[in-house]
């Protein structure tokens, strides 16, 4: 590979880090005054864009090399006994796609942010964090060894923690960030165990080696049950990618600035779990049970999240739950062995969900911070650019034919139905129903926000204005991608590396029927939404009254947060505080003090014996003599 | 004779007036002197009578007369520890007695009577034990100095 | 019971009586005399043995005891005088300031 | 018995005696109460050097057959103890102006010297009496408070009882073995005869009484508190050491076993625990030291469980280490007008801020007495318990160590008073007198030597 | 090879330098605060320079002692002045020397009374700790081990908080109890070595050859383990730690957490397990359980503390549990992880205690509830705080990750085969230990949340007299620590290579049975 710089991949990862350091230094040293907002913005955007450029170059190198994986060792982290932990980067078709998405979408969102975060008092800090996130995300997707991947894995968690709590003066934001971090940590614990298990078996953490070993079924791979490893890693994935039961942090994560939601909690970070599973597909191919679990969890997540999204009134919350739902789809695909398809959906989802979030951001920006869709409406005319891009993205996610979402989602449904590796009609059934709901709630969102009459208060309405070009431009670009992204044949691109699962023969002829069905479902959803929200407002109210308990359950998000709080958090704190701290700890301490006071008391006793009376002393002597002599006779 | 010694010794503890106690002690000592005499070590008996009765007890008696301290009337004779004391005393006597009685040292079986004369004694004393003789003198010197010191102190305390 | 044992009994008894005296009598002078009694008891046994043995060592020790006893009395008497001077009493129970 | 031997063998004693005589003459001539101290000091130093020199010259002789003999080891022991007497004399300067103190101290030292080299009970008896008798007077001598008389009386009566017990034992032993020689004691230990057994025990208990081992310790706290600083120092260190040397002399060459060994385990163990516990609540410094000395008597008698050949070394090393640090504490103790103030622990509150040197010295002394490394007290304890373990009494070694743990608290309490408690000086408080401070420095040097070069010291002993 | 002839001299210099400092302070700075500060910081820095020099010269490939000095000291007992460096102590020596100047600088302004004495004590403590690490002779080790108590006793007792006397007495009496039993064990061990082999020696190397029946090993290890477990401290012997930490002055806490606690784990690694391998194997289930209990227990308690110093104190208990876990795994990875975790905890806990001390100097309260929104008020302070928090949570790229990751990995790799053999306990424990990672995040982030975020709230902070952010001095010492933390997190390899041989030695010592032939425990499972 003559064109390859010695350390292109390292450079890709490190450029954002430089950006972070520079911005971080300025932000803390100079307190991030407006004066250097320009500087911060330029620094913040330049490095990601450069990274994107380099990625393209690396991709060309990869192509030039006939898509032979590029391995780029950096340095040895540790050598213990015979097993060495290398810091090395690995660039193949999969990581190429992910890197492109991350740097590409990342860059545009940076640009968007310069407009969105304008006049924020810690502008510099924001870009520092954003760059930090990119750095870790790139480590995650470029790492060769699970160690590097894990570094990125936890790193993005940190970045998301910092960014969710970015406006930390409001404690709820900080709390949301903490929730995200800790929930992720729970997943990471599983991830760690999986990693240890693999290390135990192979003495290394290089993922290509491990995959190969599992695929060829070589000796070491037999030491550990693939399903166990698969499940442990999947626990990690559920944390990062917001699957049942660990999805609870994602909706709260919306507390962060909207670009963050777009970049981290829609486009890139949350798909890390999917990436991990695909990366480790070697294991999952050997672990049908684990795959089954993944499929089920995925489809259930998709379904439940969609149901919750039906009734949300916060624009970002709707998008958040839809993200969870879409991630569910991806895991469904993974579960049935359609890894390429999952990645395909990752990409398309990155495009349209980013577009949706940024659009939402633009709306919020326009309304000066308002997020409640019940207080919106009729924005179509006021901010047309935002509207049109938003509409396209909505159509895409709803699966309107021809748009990006349509292709990827349709393939998922198809493999859920027909894959020889765990595909099943009932999976398809739930997934299809979910697709219907997706279309419905997305168009509901679109209608309530942009269509109909305005429900805004006057002064808000007065200030409404279209966002600056830095934002709208990005929106248009993303809208374009969400429209055309579906024509990139990612599954087939990846097939060379990760084959798609075979299809059960007797089901093959259903393919077109299902295609029709899913198209019908998409339009059904659209129609339903228009029917309900296009007409008089009394109509949704009536239905709501009709299904009140259901509505309460859904708007209460099945009360999962409350459940966790009651069942896990509160008991833990109570146990620590009452049982351990006030209980055993005090007990241990008390017993010691008891001994001490015992010594004190005995001291008092002894000094009372020393009564000062000569008689007593003499008596003691006499008794002592008698006793001693008698004792000494014992062996006579 | 030994019986008398014992009784008068007991009397020592029973009588209240220090003077009477002194007298009882003197009796005991004289009796012991007698015993020594019977045992045939006459010079020890002589020492006993001369030094103890002659010197020590006279001194003692003199002191008693010197300070005619009126003891508070009533039962101030015994300390609170009379009963345990007596118990321990009984035990001690028993212990010592048994250790003599149950012992099988040949000496107790010896006929004895191998009494030795003053000449033997003094010969031994001045040949074999003359170190002790010297040391005794040192000891007495020290004792005198000590006594003087104490008296000096009591004078200082007085004035 | 032969003579030696008897005398040893006696000496033991005198010794113990002396100690008992220290325990039960409250008069300082009486205590001193009781100490003398102890020493006398010891002397008795010493004399007995040395007479039994027919060798002078015991007697010499007795002699030393005389000397020591005398000296001790010579030293003890002034101390007692001192005590009496403070508390106008020879009752040893009054002298228990040092304790604890 | 050639006179030259007699002269050399008893050279230390002779020098002490010479000092006494000289002092008495000066006393009679009635001049030089000032210089009395220096004369005594000269005598002690001279006899100490003599002892060291003789022991260095490997001198050993038996001038009085069966009565008195010296060996290099014994001479070394004498020398060491005499050396310890130097600081005592130095610190006495502030308390005693007149000559009696010196004379009495010298005579007591004379008795001390007799003990380790006595071959017959007669000499040992005289030694014990000569050791103790002047101390009765000394207790009274610095007559600061009426309690001194009481203290002296208690000491006199109980140690009189001790002498009587000792004699009783001796006489029974004499009856059983027909010999007054100390060497008869060793075999008697093993004898099955009940009278012998009683005799041995009585002798042992008499030593316990003199060394203040529970339950024969009761005189010590009262007497120490009633006495004056230098005398307490003397009693706590040298007298105890001398008694222990006498015990070593008695047990020389014998490994104890059977019920005797049990006595030697149990009573010392009890006194370790007793002393360390009772010391916790004291308010008088001297009384606290008394209890600590009771505990230390316990450790010292532990040494008798060990093998015979290492015993003298262990005991002597312990006595030296313990005495040096003890004297260190006494030497730097600040002066006060009333004895109570000088003696009370409360007077030590916040001493560090008034007199850092004294505070530091006392702290070092306390830590060493507590047996915490790197101070000499630790090495000494280590040696003793090492011997005990080597003799196979591991359990008792552990118990003894745990007992010594109980002691740590009250030593630390003193340090806490010195450094961590706020307190203001009594109006009359003055730093210790010049000579006393010299004594302190001497002891400090000794402490450091023992701490840094224990190997060298052990080699010398 | 001149440096290898120089080496021993350098090591001795390194060890005795603090005593020189003590002498200097006593001579020229008895009454001069600033001068005493300067002297001790100069001495400490010099010592650190020496330590780094030795670290660089240390030959990772050479087995056995390096820069060793061996002089007979108490020949009668076979005690010798034997010091030297090897993989066991090299990192800890470096850590101790590194923290030295940081401690002094950290206490620059916060110690106001009796400054010279304070520095004397700190120097003495430094001497004792350094000695305990470099000692290669059991007697010498015990000497230093005990000698550490005294300066610490005074540091807490004289410059501590309100209940300082109680805390310091508790600390000393608690630790002294362990040491007493250890002393008994030492005596017995040496004695039995002499009986069996005729060698009268306290040198570790000789003691490693001692042959003892399992029963004896068990008792002796019990004594040693008690003493070490108190120092570590392992639950349930930990109750002295919170009090000591809370009452100690900042410098005291830093030394305590930074170095003193490592003594316990170092003791286990250097003496406890290698001296009595068979008993160690017998103890492993118990100790491993205790280690995991400590991890969880400490974390849970840290979760509910309202005193900011106590949070860190309990977190120490939790973190040292990982060290024990790694040591007990007897897997190379685990051992190496344990060593790194020791150093890492030294750095992180030191940093956190310094930070807490700095805020305490400004606001004079340790109540967590009294604070809030410091990130807005003291940005630089908060950045440092965040970094150390994350290091304590064990976030990758920080030293905390390296330690925890390797230690846990060791525990797990050791547990898996046991699980396959049907012994589930190690696996269960390893899994529980991993959950400690979550708990760690919970309590530290709770701390950070209330401390840094939300509405601005700080005692003694008024608009006209706002709290001052970190001074240059504070920034620089924290900066040093941060550099070390990241260095150990990103490039642990160098350090690991230095300790590799020691870890292997430990492994072989612990895994080979040393019961005298014929005794039942002779066969190793």
């Amino acid at each position: 590979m003559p064109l390859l710089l010695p350390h292109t991949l390292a450079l890709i990862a490190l450029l954002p880090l430089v950006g972070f350091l520079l911005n971080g230094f300025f932000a803390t040293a100079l307190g991030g005054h407006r004066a250097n907002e320009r500087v911060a913005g330029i620094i913040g955007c330049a490095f990601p864009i450069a990274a994107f450029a380099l990625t393209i170059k690396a991709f060309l190198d990869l192509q030039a090399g006939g898509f032979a994986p590029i391995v780029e060792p950096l340095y040895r982290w540790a050598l213990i006994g015979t097993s060495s932990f290398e810091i090395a980067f690995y660039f193949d078709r999969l990581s190429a796609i992910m890197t492109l998405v991350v740097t590409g979408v990342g860059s545009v969102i940076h640009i968007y942010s310069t407009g969105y975060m304008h006049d924020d008092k810690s502008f510099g800090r924001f870009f520092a964090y954003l760059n930090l996130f990119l750095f870790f995300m790139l480590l995650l997707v470029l790492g060769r060894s699970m160690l590097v991947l894990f570094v990125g894995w936890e790193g993005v968690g940190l970045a998301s923690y910092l960014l969710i709590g970015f406006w930390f003066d409001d404690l709820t934001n900080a709390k949301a960030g903490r929730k995200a971090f800790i929930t992720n940590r729970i997943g990471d614990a599983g991830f760690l165990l999986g990693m240890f298990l693999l290390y135990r078996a192979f003495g290394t953490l290089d993922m290509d080696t491990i995959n190969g070993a599992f695929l060829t079924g070589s000796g070491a791979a037999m030491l550990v049950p693939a399903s166990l490893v698969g499940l442990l890693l999947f626990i990690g994935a559920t944390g990062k990618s917001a699957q049942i039961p660990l999805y609870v942090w994602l909706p709260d994560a919306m507390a962060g600035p909207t670009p963050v939601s777009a970049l981290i909690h829609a486009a890139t970070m949350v798909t890390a779990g999917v990436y991990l599973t695909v990366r480790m597909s070697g294991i999952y191919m050997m672990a049908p049970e684990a795959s089954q679990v993944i499929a089920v969890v995925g489809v259930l997540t998709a379904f439940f999240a969609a149901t919750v999204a039906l009734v949300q009134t916060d624009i970002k919350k709707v998008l958040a739950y839809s993200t969870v739902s879409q991630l569910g789809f991806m895991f469904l695909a993974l579960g049935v062995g359609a890894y390429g398809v999952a990645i395909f959906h990752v990409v398309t989802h990155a495009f349209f969900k980013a577009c949706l979030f940024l659009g939402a951001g633009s709306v919020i920006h326009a309304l000066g911070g308002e997020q409640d869709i019940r207080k919106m409406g009729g924005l179509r005319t006021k901010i047309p650019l935002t509207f049109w891009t938003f509409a396209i993205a909505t159509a895409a996610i709803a699966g309107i034919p021809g748009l990006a979402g349509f292709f990827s989602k349709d393939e998922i449904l198809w493999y859920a139905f027909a894959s020889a590796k765990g595909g099943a009609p009932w999976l398809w059934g739930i997934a299809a129903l979910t697709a219907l709901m997706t279309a419905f709630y997305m168009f509901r969102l679109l209608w309530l926000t942009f269509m109909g009459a305005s429900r805004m208060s006057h002064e808000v309405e007065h200030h409404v204005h279209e966002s600056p070009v830095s934002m709208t431009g990005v929106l248009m670009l993303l809208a374009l991608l969400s429209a055309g992204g579906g024509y990139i044949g990612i599954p087939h691109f990846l097939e060379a590396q990760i084959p798609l699962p075979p299809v059960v023969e007797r089901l093959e002829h259903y393919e077109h029927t299902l295609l029709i069905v899913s198209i019908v479902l998409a339009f059904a959803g659209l129609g339903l939404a228009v029917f309900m929200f296009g007409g008089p407002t009394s109509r949704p109210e009536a239905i709501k009254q009709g299904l009140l308990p259901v509505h309460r359950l859904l708007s209460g998000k099945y009360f999962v947060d409350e459940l966790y709080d009651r069942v896990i958090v509160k008991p833990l704190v109570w146990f620590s505080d009452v049982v351990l701290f006030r209980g055993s700890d005090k007990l241990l301490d008390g017993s010691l003090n008891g001994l001490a006071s015992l010594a004190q008391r005995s001291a008092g006793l002894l000094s009372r014996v020393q009564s000062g009376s000569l008689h007593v002393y003499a008596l003691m002597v006499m008794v002592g003599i008698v006793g001693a002599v008698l004792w000494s006779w014992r062996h006579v | 004779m030994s019986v008398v010694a014992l009784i008068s010794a007991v009397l020592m503890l029973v009588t209240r007036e220090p003077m009477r106690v002194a007298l009882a002690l003197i009796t005991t000592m004289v009796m012991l002197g007698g015993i020594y005499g019977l045992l045939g070590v006459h010079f020890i008996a002589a020492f006993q009578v001369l030094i103890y009765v002659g010197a020590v007890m006279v001194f003692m008696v003199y002191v008693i007369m010197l300070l005619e301290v009126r003891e508070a009337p009533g039962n101030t004779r015994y300390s609170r520890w009379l009963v345990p004391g007596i118990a321990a005393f009984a035990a001690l006597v028993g212990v010592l007695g048994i250790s003599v009685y149950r012992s099988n040292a040949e000496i107790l079986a010896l006929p004895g009577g191998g009494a030795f004369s003053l000449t033997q004694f003094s010969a031994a004393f001045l040949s074999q034990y003359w170190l002790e003789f010297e040391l005794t003198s040192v000891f007495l010197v020290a004792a005198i100095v000590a006594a003087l010191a104490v008296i000096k102190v009591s004078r200082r305390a007085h004035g | 019971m032969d003579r030696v044992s008897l005398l040893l009994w006696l000496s033991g008894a005198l010794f113990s009586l002396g100690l008992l005296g220290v325990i039960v009598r409250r008069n300082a002078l009486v205590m001193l005399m009781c100490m003398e009694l102890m020493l006398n008891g010891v002397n008795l046994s010493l004399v007995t043995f040395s007479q039994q043995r027919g060798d002078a060592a015991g007697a010499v020790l007795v002699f030393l005891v005389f000397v020591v006893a005398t000296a001790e009395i010579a030293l003890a008497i002034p101390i007692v005088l001192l005590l009496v001077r403070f508390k106008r009493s020879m009752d040893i129970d009054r002298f228990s300031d040092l304790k604890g | 018995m050639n006179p030259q031997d007699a002269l050399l063998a008893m050279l230390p004693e002779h020098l002490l005696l010479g000092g006494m005589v000289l002092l008495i003459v000066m006393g009679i001539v009635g001049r030089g109460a000032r210089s009395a101290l220096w004369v005594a000091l000269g005598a002690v130093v001279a006899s100490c050097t003599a002892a060291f020199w003789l022991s260095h010259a490997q001198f050993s002789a038996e001038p009085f057959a069966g009565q008195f003999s010296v060996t290099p080891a014994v001479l070394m022991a004498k020398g060491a103890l005499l050396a310890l007497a130097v600081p005592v004399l130095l610190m006495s300067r502030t308390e005693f102006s007149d000559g009696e103190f010196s004379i009495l101290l010298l005579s007591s030292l004379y008795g001390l010297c007799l003990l380790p080299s006595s071959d017959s009970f007669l000499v040992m008896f005289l030694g014990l009496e000569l050791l103790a008798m002047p101390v009765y007077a000394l207790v009274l001598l610095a007559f600061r408070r009426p309690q001194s008389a009481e203290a002296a009386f208690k000491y006199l009566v109980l140690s009189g009882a001790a002498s009587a017990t000792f004699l009783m034992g001796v006489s029974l032993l004499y009856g059983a073995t027909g010999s007054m020689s100390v060497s008869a004691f060793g075999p008697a230990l093993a004898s099955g005869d009940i009278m012998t057994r009683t005799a041995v025990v009585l002798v042992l208990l008499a030593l316990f009484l003199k060394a203040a081992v529970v339950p024969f310790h009761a005189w010590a706290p009262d007497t120490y508190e009633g006495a004056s600083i230098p005398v307490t120092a003397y009693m706590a260190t040298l007298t105890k050491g001398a008694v222990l040397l006498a015990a070593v002399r008695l047990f020389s060459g014998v490994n104890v076993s059977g019920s005797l060994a049990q006595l030697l385990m149990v009573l010392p163990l009890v006194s370790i625990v007793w002393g360390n516990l009772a010391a916790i609540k004291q308010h008088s410094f001297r009384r606290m030291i008394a209890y600590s000395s009771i505990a230390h008597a316990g450790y010292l008698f532990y040494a008798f469980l060990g093998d015979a050949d290492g015993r003298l070394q262990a005991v002597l090393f312990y006595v030296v280490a313990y005495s040096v640090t003890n004297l260190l504490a006494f030497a730097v103790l600040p002066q006060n007008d009333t004895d109570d103030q000088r003696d009370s622990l409360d007077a030590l509150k916040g001493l560090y801020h008034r007199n850092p040197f004294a505070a530091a010295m006392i702290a070092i002394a306390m830590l060493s007495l507590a047996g915490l490394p790197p101070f000499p007290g630790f090495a000494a304890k280590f040696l003793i318990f090492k011997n005990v373990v080597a003799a196979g009494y591991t359990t008792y070694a552990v118990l003894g160590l745990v007992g010594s743990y109980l002691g740590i608290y009250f030593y630390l309490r003193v340090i806490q008073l010195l450094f961590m408690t706020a307190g203001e000086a009594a109006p009359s408080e003055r730093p210790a007198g010049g000579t006393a401070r010299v004594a302190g420095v001497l002891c400090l040097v000794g402490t450091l030597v023992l701490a840094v070069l224990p190997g060298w010291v052990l080699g010398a002993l | 090879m001149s440096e290898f002839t120089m080496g021993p001299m350098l090591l001795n210099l390194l060890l005795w330098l603090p005593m020189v400092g003590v002498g200097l302070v006593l001579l020229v700075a008895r009454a001069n605060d600033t001068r005493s500060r300067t002297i001790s910081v100069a001495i400490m820095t010099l010592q650190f320079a020496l330590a780094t020099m030795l670290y660089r010269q240390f030959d990772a490939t050479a087995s056995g002692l390096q820069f060793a000095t061996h002089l007979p000291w108490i020949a009668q007992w076979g005690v010798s002045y034997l010091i030297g460096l090897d993989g066991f102590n090299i990192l800890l020596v470096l850590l101790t020397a590194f923290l030295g100047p940081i401690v002094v600088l950290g206490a620059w302004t916060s110690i106001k009374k009796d400054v010279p004495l304070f520095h004397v004590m700190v120097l003495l403590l430094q001497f004792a700790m350094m000695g305990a690490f470099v000692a290669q002779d059991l007697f010498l080790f015990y000497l230093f081990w005990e000698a550490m108590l005294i300066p610490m006793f005074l540091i807490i007792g004289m410059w501590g908080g309100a209940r300082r006397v109680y805390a310091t007495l508790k600390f000393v009496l608690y630790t002294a109890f362990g040491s007493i039993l250890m002393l008994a064990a030492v005596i017995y061990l040496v004695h039995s070595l002499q009986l069996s082999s005729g060698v009268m020696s306290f040198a570790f190397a000789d003691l490693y050859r001692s042959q003892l029946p399992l029963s004896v090993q068990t008792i002796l290890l019990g004594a040693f383990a008690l003493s070490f477990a108190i120092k570590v401290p392992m639950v349930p012997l930990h109750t002295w730690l919170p009090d000591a930490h809370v009452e100690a002055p900042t410098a005291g806490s830093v030394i305590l957490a930074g170095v003193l606690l490592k003594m316990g784990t170092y003791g286990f690694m250097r003496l406890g397990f290698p001296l009595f391998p068979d008993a160690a194997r017998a103890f492993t289930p118990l100790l491993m359980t205790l280690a995991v209990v400590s991890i969880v227990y400490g974390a849970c308690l840290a979760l509910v503390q309202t005193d900011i110093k106590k949070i860190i104190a309990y977190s120490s208990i939790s973190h040292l549990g990982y060290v024990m876990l790694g040591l007990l795994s007897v897997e190379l990875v685990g051992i190496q992880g344990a060593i790194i975790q020791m150093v890492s905890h030294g750095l992180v806990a030191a940093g956190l205690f310094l930070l807490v001390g700095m805020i305490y100097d400004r606001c004079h309260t340790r109540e967590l509830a009294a604070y809030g929104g410091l990130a807005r008020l003291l940005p630089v302070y908060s950045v440092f705080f965040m970094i150390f928090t994350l290091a304590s949570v064990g976030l990758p790229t920080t030293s905390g990750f390296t330690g925890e990751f390797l230690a846990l990995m060791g525990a797990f790799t050791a547990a898996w085969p046991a699980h396959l053999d049907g012994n589930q306990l190690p696996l269960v424990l390893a899994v529980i230990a991993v959950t400690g990672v979550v708990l760690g995040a919970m309590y530290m982030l709770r701390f950070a949340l209330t401390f840094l975020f939300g509405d601005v709230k700080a005692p003694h902070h008024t608009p006209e007299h706002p709290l001052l952010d970190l001074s240059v001095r504070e920034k620089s010492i924290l900066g040093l620590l941060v550099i070390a933390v990241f260095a150990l997190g990103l490039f642990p390899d160098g350090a690991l290579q230095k300790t590799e041989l020691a870890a292997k030695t430990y492994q072989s010592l612990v895994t080979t049975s040393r019961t005298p032939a014929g005794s039942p425990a002779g066969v190793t499972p």
Side-chain angles (χ1 to χ4, degrees), chain A residues 567-577, chain E residues 300 303-304 439 442:
Chain A
V567 178
I568 300 166
V569 181
K570 283 223 165 54
L572 178 64
V573 172
W574 178 86
F575 178 75
S576 313
D577 191 27
Chain E
C300 287
L303 192 57
V304 295
L439 292 170
M442 285 175 84

Side-chain angles (χ1 to χ4, degrees), chain B residues 99 102-107 128-132 135 138-139 141-143 145-146 149-150 152-153 156-157, chain D residues 24 64 67-68 100 103-104 107 110 114 120 122-123 126 129-130 133 137 140-141 143 175 193-195 198:
Chain B
S99 58
R102 297 249 322 284
S103 160
N104 48 14
E106 78 287 355
I107 176 157
Q128 193 179 358
Y129 298 107
W130 80 281
L131 172 64
E132 280 78 352
L135 295 179
V138 176
F139 179 82
V141 172
V145 176
V150 172
K152 197 172 175 185
V153 167
R156 185 158 14 109
Chain D
I24 292 171
F64 305 95
Q67 308 297 327
F68 185 95
E100 280 86 357
I103 306 173
L104 291 171
S107 48
Y110 192 100
L114 290 179
S120 82
L122 302 152
V123 179
L126 278 176
E129 287 303 316
L130 195 46
M133 201 260 322
L140 266 164
L141 205 49
F143 194 73
D193 174 38
I194 190 165
M195 187 163 90
T198 315

Side-chain angles (χ1 to χ4, degrees), chain E residues 415 418-429:
Chain E
H419 153 76
L420 295 181
D421 301 344
N423 171 11
Q424 306 302 345
L425 180 68
L427 188 60
V428 175
L429 290 176

Side-chain angles (χ1 to χ4, degrees), chain E residues 210-424:
Chain E
S210 65
Q211 301 256 333
L212 296 167
L214 181 59
S215 53
V216 179
Q217 282 194 20
T218 315
I219 297 168
L220 294 188
L221 178 57
F224 273 82
L226 182 68
S227 158
F228 294 146
I230 287 174
K231 256 291 200 297
V232 171
M234 292 174 84
V235 176
L237 302 171
H238 64 284
T239 49
W240 62 269
L241 184 70
D243 288 313
H245 266 318
V246 167
E247 297 305 327
T250 304
S253 307
V254 172
I255 300 174
L256 197 56
V259 185
L260 231 56
L261 301 190
K262 310 301 168 302
M263 287 293 163
T265 45
Y266 174 75
F268 273 115
M269 178 174 70
R270 164 75 85 182
L271 295 167
F273 299 143
L275 282 179
F276 317 106
D278 306 279
R281 264 195 302 286
F283 270 40
T284 303
L286 170 68
L287 285 174
M288 206 179 245
T289 318
L290 284 182
V292 172
V293 169
S294 309
I295 293 176
V296 176
Y297 192 98
C300 287
L301 284 177
L303 192 57
V304 295
Q305 296 307 315
T306 58
D307 179 315
I308 53 185
K309 263 189 156 183
K310 274 198 176 166
I311 298 178
I312 307 169
Y314 279 111
S315 82
S316 301
I317 297 173
S318 179
H319 281 126
L320 287 162
Y322 291 110
V323 180
M324 289 310 293
L325 206 60
L327 287 179
L328 288 160
S329 73
V330 199
E331 284 282 336
L332 212 50
V333 185
I335 301 161
Q336 291 280 54
I339 298 175
I340 296 293
Q341 175 72 353
M342 285 194 223
V343 180
S344 159
H345 175 263
L347 300 169
V348 175
L352 284 170
F353 273 118
L354 281 169
L355 283 160
V356 168
M358 289 166 186
I359 201 68
Y360 183 79
D361 291 344
R362 288 166 170 75
C363 301
H364 310 101
T365 174
R366 292 190 309 266
E367 269 306 308
L368 179 56
Y371 295 99
L374 294 183
R376 183 64 64 203
L377 200 57
L378 314 168
V380 181
Y381 176 88
S382 312
V383 170
F384 279 115
F385 188 87
M386 200 28 102
I387 292 174
F388 283 111
T389 304
L390 295 170
S392 154
V393 170
L395 198 85
T397 70
T398 65
S399 59
F401 171 73
T402 317
E404 280 181 24
F405 179 74
L406 294 178
L408 284 172
M409 191 183 252
F412 193 86
T413 32
W416 187 252
H419 153 76
L420 295 181
D421 301 344
N423 171 11
Q424 306 302 345

Side-chain angles (χ1 to χ4, degrees), chain C residues 76-91:
Chain C
I77 294 292
I79 297 180
V80 173
L81 290 176
L82 208 54
L83 286 174
V84 173
R85 178 162 296 132
F86 282 117
K87 297 256 166 109
R88 311 301 312 151
S89 151
M90 286 194 276
D91 180 353

